[in-house]
Amino acid sequence: MADVSETETINQATTERYKYGFVTDIESDTAPKGLDESTIRFISAKKDEPEWLLEWRLKAFRMWQALDEEEPTWAKVSYPKIDFQDSYYYSAPKEKPLLESLDDVDPKLLETYTKLGIPLQEQKMLAGVAVDAVFDSVSVATTFKEELSKHGVIFCPISEAVQKHPELVKKYLGSVVPTADNFYATLNSAVFTDGSFVYIPEGVRCPMELSTYFRINAAETGQFERTLIIADKGSYVSYLEGCTAPMRDEHQLHAAVVELIALDDAEIKYSTVQNWYPGDENGKGGIYNFVTKRGACRGKNSKISWTQVETGSAITWKYPSCILQGDNSVGEFYSIAITNNYQQADTGTKMIHMGKNTKSRIISKGISAGHADSTYRGLVKVMPGATGARNFTQCDSLLIGDQCGAHTVPYIEVRNKTAQVEHEATTSKISDEQLLYCRQRGLSEEDATTLIVNGFCRQVLQELPMEFAVEAQKLVGISLEGSVG
Amino acid sequence: MTKRHLIANFPFVDAFDAVRADLPGAPLDWLQAARRNALARFQDQALPNRRVEEWKYTDLGALAKTDFAAPYGPIGDALAARIGATGDPDAIRLVIANGRVDSALSNTAGLPTGAHLMPMSTALDTHSDVLKDHITRIAALDGNGLLALNAAFMMDGYVLVVDDAAVIDPTIEVIFAGDGGQGPVALHPRNVIIMGQDSAATIIETHLGDGVYWSNPLTDVVMGEGASLRRYKVLQDATDAFHLAHDQVSLASGAHYKGFIGAFSAKLARHTVAATINGADATFDVAGTYLLRGDQHNDITTVVDHAAAGSASKQIFKGVLDDASRGVFQGKVTVHKDAQKTDAHQLNNALLLSDKAEIDAKPELEIYADDVKCAHGATAGDLDENELFYLQARGIDAAEARRLLVSAFVKAALDEIDRDAERARFETLVDAWLERANG
Amino acid sequence: MAPMLEIKNLHATVDGKEVLKGINLAINPGEVHAVMGPNGSGKSTLSYVLAGRNGYDVTQGSIIFNGADLTAMEPEIRAREGIFLAFQYPVEIPGVAGTTFLKTAYNAIRKHRGEKELDAMQFLKLVRAKQADLNMTDDMVRRPVNVGFSGGEKKRYEMLQMAMLEPALAILDETDSGLDIDALKTVADGINALRSPDRAMLMITHYQRLLDYVVPDFVHVLAGGKIVRSGDKSLALDLEKEGYAVLGTEAA
């Protein structure tokens, strides 16, 4: 990563609050509040889905109903019980835009994306980012389709993939995150509305970075998108995901499922900058981000790399994981989780080593400020067949102020003697010496803190694609606002 | 709700009313009440199953299925002979056999002034007021069914009281023996150690036995200001034994606890070491090694609470796992909000010597104070092939080379023992274990 | 004209213990002052008090810098007003590129002075020019701040920062410590290059070695928290010959 201007970052950090907190005034088409079989039939009918998918959803729904009292409680987060009947499960902008041309998209929507800084416009396409934008529950526009289709790359809303590529969806949907995986994944399987679908054909190196921006706009609406990425043999794709939501006083639920499949010699790089509305400084409002992300390195020599910068959400509950099935496959997890005010984050990864000579690497940087709690929770599991497996884990926590908490909960399970598993963790604060040194050179305490925290996060930031790295560095500053002095 | 406990129908539990008259402190009304309350608590809590987070890696299923009875009386002659041959024959020693003090095998004559060592049954006669507080406090611990069982069936263990400023140099030896020769028995020894201000003592506990028995010792250690205690545990239980120990340690300012656990035995063992540091400049260090083979299961669970500013804790464990054995290390360090300047270190290294061995580690940090230095590390793996090859290239045969390397691996934990005689005793046990590996 | 820096009857405590016990010192623009003294005499305390380190509290007396009360300012305001401390032990800041650090500082100070901030290209050009004088490579300047630097490299990086930030008053705290003769010459050249009629320097040192290369206008001897003697550079030579014991002070 080249040097990006941290000065700008810092200047913006001091003036910006949550800049994505606006609400777009768009008429939406919404399913009635509450959740029962009719809601699911409504969603499925809206999307004109085939019978098999409706059945798949209903099966998941019945499973979820049976789980009703089984909302997970093991994470180190606390929140009032969610009333799943007091939420909308489907909300779509009413004037449903045609997907063929951007000119047909509601100008207000485009304005929203401009505010978000998404390169949706033609001129910005030159930047080389193909964008699928998910607004509440539906995908509104996918840019750059033509260029991608030349290479045989499929990048479209999953609802469209269901219609046009049912064989791929049917084969892979739920193959990494089974319907019964966990409470939220089961719920998502029943009610998912939209999300991105990516297929990279054999031997293709995706010519550009693919990107999805998720946005929750409507009030009292849960967002349940479903993303499915398949990298066929010898292919490569880098996928970026960004998330924002308006400032609202009530909590909103986001329960996505992301499934990645890498076949022989394929590589998927998945980067997230999660900036859902975190609630105000008193902990009012904000998104509950309960997400299941998992990748299967199914083929030999395959690789899946997760990089995440988690600065938003009132509560984050998220463990992007890798199942290393193929021999010599590689899983990576690079994470920055920043919590301030009353935010809570319980995040980490699972690396399940099954194939021979599989390798995994985990670098986690947790920063807590204000009254926030940040937990790293991770599992490294070496199965008996994973001869020669290697793992290295490093978890560092930084505390800013004496009202916050930082926790590290690693699980290490090794059942093969040839494995080498190493875990290191530290917890500390920013040293007074470092602060004085920066301030003696003219930096304010807040700027010095941002600079030092960015340094602390560097190992992860440098894994991000350039444009995301710039945004992430800015977010570090914004997220820590009000935490010093 | 999901079931979070195991169903167990232990004959000794059903025989509560029959056995309690024989248990220590029978004439004390408060104790009888405490026992009855504890029994009710056990019936409510039962034994934890693996859905309880702290018991994720240790399954008590086999224990729950065994029909344990109350102990049948004295131990067999062969076992008595082994006790006689354990440790230093001239040492101050107390022997607790099948839950009862064995006066014939004990010898506390040489105890220096300032130290008081006696079995629980005697202590309840002579020091009942002091012990009432301790026993009531332990009963109030929000634990699991195992603690409740110990509180209900509390048997002889040792009570050590060291007066203020008394520095006891000779090592105090306590031997626990279990005999399941006449059928599985359950033992619930209770130990209490009260260290006066600026006092010091060293104690070594050995656990051994024959046949199927379940030892469920609960030890309450209270350390006064500036007190210093070394406490070593040698675990040589029978191959079919169950050993589930719980240590509860509290430290005042300037107190130093140095513990060591050497686990070489039992079918299923779990050693929970819980410490609360309540004062500044206190240190809590615990180290240990577990060497397992066959289908042994050994679990070391530490829970260290830094509740006061300026204290330190250190943990170093080395595990060696052969055959289909399984090692578990769970270490949790909590630094409370006001415990600034805490320095906490924790390390677990495990060597897997066989394809079927397994290690599960969960080193955990929970931190609420910002000005702290906390670190933990955990590794798992086999011996280094390069090191093995190097030794072989110098003419050392493979088996010997492995033994040298394992011994070196374990040494880092043994080096935490700062008394030569006791360190040598553990070294001998490690060597003996390694000899068998080669045999 | 009033001096640039005027310290009057300065008493200061570190963690509640009085270390400075009545210091008087005036420095005019263009002057180079050396403060010498045995270990524990309060030399480093003086530099931290001037820089405004937390826990170094002024209990009596005053420090006036360019007509303003220095003690009322936050450390970064002192820096922006022109006080530069070359640290005895420069601090490592992992992950923060040296160029980013220096550019942020540079622009913060320019902004304070009402000058236009430099963009990345202009800034790099400027750094390149200055780093060459100090025998520093691009790699050294880009690496995370002070991480993996040798003692000499750290001191040269301090000099580079000083050259970039162009302070009014530079305080050099034991800048010569841990340097071999070649490094000492390089650092001394760096200091001499910055001597100017507008700039004052306060060199804090235990040995007179550095003073062979950077010749001071005034030498003060600090002992027991007070300046016990002042003179010209010959005082430093006397001290070199006789040692601090000759002063009849408690430390050596």
Side-chain angles (χ1 to χ4, degrees):
Chain A
M1 195 188 71
D3 283 321
V4 291
S5 167
E6 266 126 332
T7 319
E8 282 160 39
T9 304
I10 286 158
N11 291 343
Q12 290 191 23
T14 52
T15 55
E16 286 185 48
R17 285 279 163 184
Y18 189 74
K19 73 164 176 174
Y20 306 108
F22 53 87
V23 178
T24 309
D25 186 18
I26 285 181
E27 259 195 281
S28 21
D29 191 358
T30 306
K33 220 179 206 184
L35 183 56
D36 57 22
E37 287 206 6
S38 69
T39 321
I40 303 203
R41 288 180 194 280
F42 176 92
I43 294 169
S44 191
K46 272 278 167 197
K47 299 196 166 285
D48 203 13
E49 284 175 355
E51 189 61 25
W52 67 265
L53 191 52
L54 175 64
E55 282 310 314
W56 196 80
R57 286 175 180 277
L58 288 171
K59 204 176 131 202
F61 179 69
R62 284 163 202 149
M63 217 179 262
W64 181 77
Q65 277 181 312
L67 287 174
D68 206 14
E69 291 300 311
E70 292 280 312
E71 215 179 313
T73 52
W74 42 262
K76 209 175 153 44
V77 294
S78 62
Y79 53 94
K81 204 165 163 46
I82 298 172
D83 181 354
F84 290 95
Q85 295 305 334
D86 190 30
S87 180
Y88 294 102
Y89 288 84
Y90 182 83
S91 170
K94 209 164 210 168
E95 301 297 319
K96 197 175 183 206
L98 297 172
L99 297 177
E100 308 309 321
S101 159
L102 284 175
D103 299 339
D104 295 333
V105 175
D106 186 328
K108 274 190 183 155
L109 236 157
L110 288 182
E111 205 181 295
T112 303
Y113 288 124
T114 309
K115 277 194 218 171
L116 292 171
I118 301 171
L120 200 67
Q121 312 280 9
E122 293 288 339
Q123 73 271 16
K124 295 207 175 164
M125 288 185 191
L126 296 171
V129 181
V131 175
D132 181 18
V134 177
F135 196 86
D136 286 338
S137 304
V138 296
S139 188
V140 286
T142 305
T143 59
F144 243 124
K145 257 188 187 166
E146 212 170 303
E147 168 70 9
L148 290 172
S149 65
K150 253 195 283 176
H151 293 84
V153 172
I154 304 170
F155 179 38
C156 66
I158 198 160
S159 53
E160 189 183 325
V162 168
Q163 308 295 341
K164 293 189 182 162
H165 310 282
E167 70 298 337
L168 284 172
V169 177
K170 216 170 168 174
K171 182 169 177 191
Y172 291 108
L173 186 71
S175 75
V176 187
V177 179
T179 310
D181 192 77
N182 69 73
F183 185 83
Y184 299 110
T186 310
L187 176 62
N188 174 288
S189 302
V191 303
F192 76 87
T193 39
D194 221 327
S196 294
F197 177 86
V198 176
Y199 174 78
I200 315 291
E202 189 167 340
V204 171
R205 193 177 168 88
C206 187
M208 64 197 69
E209 273 159 352
L210 303 182
S211 170
T212 298
Y213 267 77
F214 293 102
R215 172 150 180 91
I216 300 177
N217 188 58
E220 295 174 70
T221 304
Q223 180 151 331
F224 303 93
E225 78 273 353
R226 183 117 195 164
T227 294
L228 181 57
I229 300 177
I230 303 138
D232 212 326
K233 290 177 184 169
S235 68
Y236 169 86
V237 63
S238 166
Y239 183 88
L240 321 178
E241 173 195 69
C243 325
T244 65
M247 292 155 98
R248 293 189 189 280
D249 282 349
E250 75 275 14
H251 295 288
Q252 284 179 286
L253 177 63
H254 174 249
V257 171
V258 175
E259 296 178 277
L260 313 183
I261 295 115
L263 301 181
D264 288 357
D265 306 299
E267 179 176 351
I268 302 174
K269 193 171 162 62
Y270 194 106
S271 312
T272 306
V273 172
Q274 187 265 106
N275 185 26
W276 296 116
Y277 178 53
D280 68 10
E281 63 274 19
N282 299 312
K284 195 167 187 198
I287 300 290
Y288 289 165
N289 190 34
F290 300 160
V291 170
T292 306
K293 290 184 167 179
R294 194 174 303 154
C297 282
R298 241 164 239 176
K300 63 177 168 56
N301 309 318
S302 58
K303 179 175 175 183
I304 289 178
S305 180
W306 298 98
T307 305
Q308 61 171 25
V309 179
E310 302 285 314
T311 65
S313 295
I315 301 177
T316 300
W317 179 99
K318 182 179 163 188
Y319 314 91
S321 304
C322 298
I323 303 169
L324 304 170
Q325 292 163 288
D327 290 349
N328 309 314
S329 62
V330 178
E332 293 176 338
F333 175 74
Y334 298 96
S335 171
I336 297 169
I338 302 182
T339 51
N340 195 0
N341 299 320
Y342 286 87
Q343 281 178 276
Q344 306 172 57
D346 194 301
T347 184
T349 184
K350 291 184 200 174
M351 293 289 175
I352 315 290
H353 291 258
M354 298 168 80
K356 290 188 176 62
N357 301 315
T358 45
K359 289 186 179 60
S360 64
R361 183 177 168 82
I362 299 170
I363 307 286
S364 163
K365 305 280 180 176
I367 298 113
S368 310
H371 292 84
D373 263 303
S374 177
T375 302
Y376 167 83
R377 187 182 303 275
L379 168 68
V380 174
K381 187 169 191 156
V382 179
M383 303 296 276
T387 302
R390 297 281 178 273
N391 160 265
F392 175 75
T393 301
Q394 187 188 337
C395 297
D396 297 317
S397 303
L398 196 64
L399 290 140
I400 301 175
D402 59 3
Q403 301 295 316
C404 52
H407 320 297
T408 314
V409 191
Y411 297 76
I412 300 154
E413 304 176 7
V414 183
R415 296 170 67 188
N416 185 300
K417 70 167 190 160
T418 60
Q420 274 180 27
V421 176
E422 259 180 274
H423 170 97
E424 290 171 9
T426 64
T427 302
S428 55
K429 66 167 194 166
I430 294 175
S431 80
D432 293 341
E433 284 77 15
Q434 287 176 342
L435 272 179
L436 175 72
Y437 191 72
C438 292
R439 294 177 76 190
Q440 212 303 304
R441 298 299 181 253
L443 275 67
S444 70
E445 192 172 352
E446 197 152 48
D447 292 353
T449 302
T450 302
L451 193 74
I452 294 166
V453 171
N454 265 315
F456 173 78
C457 297
R458 190 180 180 82
Q459 271 172 292
V460 175
L461 289 171
Q462 66 194 5
E463 295 297 325
L464 286 170
M466 182 67 185
E467 63 273 27
F468 253 34
V470 177
E471 187 181 341
Q473 290 201 351
K474 287 182 191 172
L475 275 176
V476 169
I478 294 166
S479 308
L480 290 173
E481 237 174 75
S483 64
V484 291
Chain B
M1 279 302 285
T2 324
K3 192 165 76 84
R4 292 189 186 276
H5 58 263
L6 289 165
I7 304 287
N9 295 305
F10 295 128
F12 77 89
V13 173
D14 298 336
F16 177 71
D17 284 321
V19 298
R20 72 192 164 101
D22 284 342
L23 295 172
L28 300 168
D29 288 343
W30 63 265
L31 187 57
Q32 290 295 355
R35 286 184 188 279
R36 263 193 307 276
N37 288 340
L39 184 72
R41 242 182 6 262
F42 171 71
Q43 272 149 355
D44 181 42
Q45 295 169 330
L47 297 174
N49 72 8
R50 294 187 52 206
R51 295 188 67 114
V52 176
E53 176 67 21
E54 292 76 25
W55 292 84
K56 185 178 162 65
Y57 294 121
T58 294
D59 186 355
L60 297 179
L63 180 89
K65 283 195 209 90
T66 309
D67 289 337
F68 291 103
Y72 296 99
I75 53 168
D77 292 343
L79 188 52
R82 256 170 49 219
I83 293 170
T86 296
D88 177 359
D90 298 327
I92 302 152
R93 61 163 66 200
L94 193 64
V95 175
I96 312 286
N98 266 358
R100 232 179 250 272
V101 64
D102 187 325
S103 306
L105 294 171
S106 302
N107 168 25
T108 56
L111 203 63
T113 343
H116 314 273
L117 177 70
M118 66 210 94
M120 179 58 81
S121 48
T122 311
L124 282 169
D125 291 341
T126 59
H127 292 70
S128 127
D129 289 348
V130 182
L131 288 174
K132 187 177 172 184
D133 280 355
H134 288 266
I135 288 166
T136 322
R137 191 174 49 82
I138 283 286
L141 277 182
D142 182 26
N144 49 59
L146 294 165
L147 297 182
L149 265 190
N150 183 289
F153 292 90
M154 187 179 91
M155 297 174 183
D156 255 347
Y158 65 90
V159 174
L160 173 68
V161 179
V162 183
D163 296 344
D164 287 354
V167 175
I168 310 304
D169 186 57
T171 300
I172 295 166
E173 183 120 30
V174 181
I175 298 165
F176 292 88
D179 190 347
Q182 298 175 58
V185 295
L187 308 170
H188 304 279
R190 172 72 63 89
N191 309 318
V192 176
I193 302 176
I194 301 170
M195 299 295 295
Q197 207 174 315
D198 298 315
S199 66
T202 302
I203 190 157
I204 186 162
E205 281 177 28
T206 304
H207 296 258
L208 43 78
D210 277 333
V212 181
Y213 60 93
W214 165 22
S215 187
N216 185 35
L218 174 50
T219 306
D220 179 16
V221 183
V222 178
M223 314 238 335
E225 282 180 23
S228 172
L229 177 68
R230 292 185 184 83
R231 179 154 171 259
Y232 307 126
K233 283 214 251 185
V234 184
L235 298 149
Q236 293 178 285
D237 281 300
T239 335
D240 295 323
F242 297 85
H243 186 117
L244 304 170
H246 184 105
D247 293 349
Q248 191 71 37
V249 184
S250 88
L251 297 97
S253 315
H256 302 293
Y257 181 97
K258 280 178 88 70
F260 190 88
I261 298 170
F264 304 91
S265 63
K267 177 190 182 68
L268 175 83
R270 162 139 158 165
H271 314 284
T272 304
V273 184
T276 307
I277 305 178
N278 296 306
D281 301 318
T283 59
F284 179 81
D285 297 342
V286 56
T289 184
Y290 43 98
L291 296 98
L292 311 177
R293 59 164 60 93
D295 61 352
Q296 285 178 337
H297 178 109
N298 188 83
D299 173 338
I300 289 179
T301 294
T302 64
V303 184
V304 179
D305 264 12
H306 288 266
S311 60
S313 66
K314 184 165 89 172
Q315 303 175 35
I316 297 180
F317 287 94
K318 301 273 176 179
V320 181
L321 309 171
D322 206 347
D323 303 333
S325 65
R326 185 171 176 196
V328 176
F329 173 77
Q330 304 187 105
K332 182 168 180 175
V333 174
T334 304
V335 179
H336 294 270
K337 196 168 155 289
D338 298 321
Q340 297 290 4
K341 307 273 178 202
T342 289
D343 193 341
H345 284 267
Q346 186 190 65
L347 182 67
N348 182 67
N349 302 127
L351 264 187
L352 299 178
L353 300 181
S354 137
D355 288 334
K356 296 200 180 71
E358 174 174 351
I359 174 74
D360 299 303
K362 186 187 170 200
E364 195 176 342
L365 295 172
E366 188 171 332
I367 295 169
Y368 297 96
D370 61 335
D371 192 4
V372 298
K373 273 198 288 187
C374 294
H376 68 212
T379 63
D382 196 0
L383 291 173
D384 186 325
E385 284 298 327
N386 293 325
E387 291 175 8
L388 266 179
F389 177 73
Y390 185 83
L391 292 181
Q392 285 176 268
R394 293 291 172 270
I396 300 167
D397 71 61
E400 180 65 16
R402 293 185 82 82
R403 203 170 62 178
L404 280 171
L405 290 174
V406 173
S407 163
F409 170 81
V410 171
K411 190 172 180 297
L414 295 178
D415 283 348
E416 293 294 306
I417 302 172
D418 61 358
R419 301 256 290 195
D420 292 343
E422 280 72 29
R423 190 175 52 251
R425 201 152 140 190
F426 281 102
E427 279 165 359
T428 309
L429 289 165
V430 170
D431 289 345
W433 190 91
L434 289 168
E435 281 300 328
R436 266 193 63 193
N438 283 349
Chain C
M1 201 184 80
M4 175 192 280
L5 179 75
E6 188 163 27
I7 302 174
K8 277 188 180 163
N9 189 32
L10 178 67
H11 290 252
T13 58
V14 182
D15 296 329
K17 189 172 161 260
E18 185 165 71
V19 179
L20 301 185
K21 300 171 180 172
I23 296 210
N24 291 293
L25 181 64
I27 300 178
N28 292 302
E31 294 177 355
V32 173
H33 290 243
V35 170
M36 304 184 68
N39 292 330
S41 59
K43 300 191 302 290
S44 281
T45 300
L46 177 62
S47 70
Y48 283 137
V49 167
L50 290 173
R53 182 173 189 159
N54 256 347
Y56 288 67
D57 299 322
V58 173
T59 50
Q60 241 192 87
S62 64
I63 310 169
I64 304 299
F65 178 66
N66 284 335
D69 176 7
L70 196 66
T71 60
M73 296 178 201
E74 289 295 311
E76 60 268 32
I77 305 300
R78 301 180 195 210
R80 294 173 197 174
E81 287 288 327
I83 289 188
F84 178 92
L85 170 63
F87 284 69
Q88 183 180 1
Y89 303 108
V91 182
E92 296 185 4
I93 310 179
V96 176
T99 37
T100 305
F101 169 72
L102 194 46
K103 179 161 153 276
T104 310
Y106 183 77
N107 279 334
I109 289 171
R110 281 184 72 100
K111 202 175 163 191
H112 184 77
R113 291 178 186 159
E115 293 163 1
K116 204 171 158 289
E117 294 174 38
L118 293 193
D119 67 26
M121 290 311 292
Q122 294 167 308
F123 176 80
L124 275 179
K125 231 172 116 179
L126 196 63
V127 174
R128 287 239 167 87
K130 306 264 184 192
Q131 80 194 38
D133 297 337
L134 289 156
N135 286 332
M136 292 183 77
T137 60
D138 279 4
D139 175 59
M140 266 178 75
V141 175
R142 279 203 197 120
R143 265 169 16 203
V145 176
N146 290 318
V147 176
F149 283 21
S150 69
E153 286 173 333
K154 283 183 181 170
K155 295 298 165 80
R156 273 189 280 160
Y157 187 54
E158 294 292 287
M159 293 305 106
L160 175 69
Q161 293 178 48
M162 179 166 80
M164 289 293 300
L165 302 179
E166 301 182 319
L169 172 67
I171 304 159
L172 310 170
D173 189 1
E174 306 270 3
T175 294
D176 52 334
S177 68
L179 297 186
D180 64 31
I181 192 68
D182 292 332
L184 182 70
K185 278 183 186 156
T186 310
V187 166
D189 288 348
I191 299 170
N192 284 325
L194 285 173
R195 286 181 80 153
S196 92
D198 306 327
R199 182 170 292 130
M201 292 190 183
L202 179 62
M203 294 194 292
I204 289 172
T205 180
H206 186 86
Y207 302 103
Q208 89 96 32
R209 191 168 78 129
L210 177 65
L211 308 185
D212 289 341
Y213 299 94
V214 183
V215 181
D217 302 306
F218 302 95
V219 174
H220 312 275
V221 179
L222 190 63
K226 283 183 177 174
I227 291 179
V228 293
R229 264 169 84 177
S230 293
D232 61 12
K233 62 176 182 193
S234 63
L235 177 58
L237 294 169
D238 292 348
L239 282 175
E240 176 82 353
K241 263 185 258 147
E242 315 288 340
Y244 289 108
V246 79
L247 299 168
T249 58
E250 66 269 38

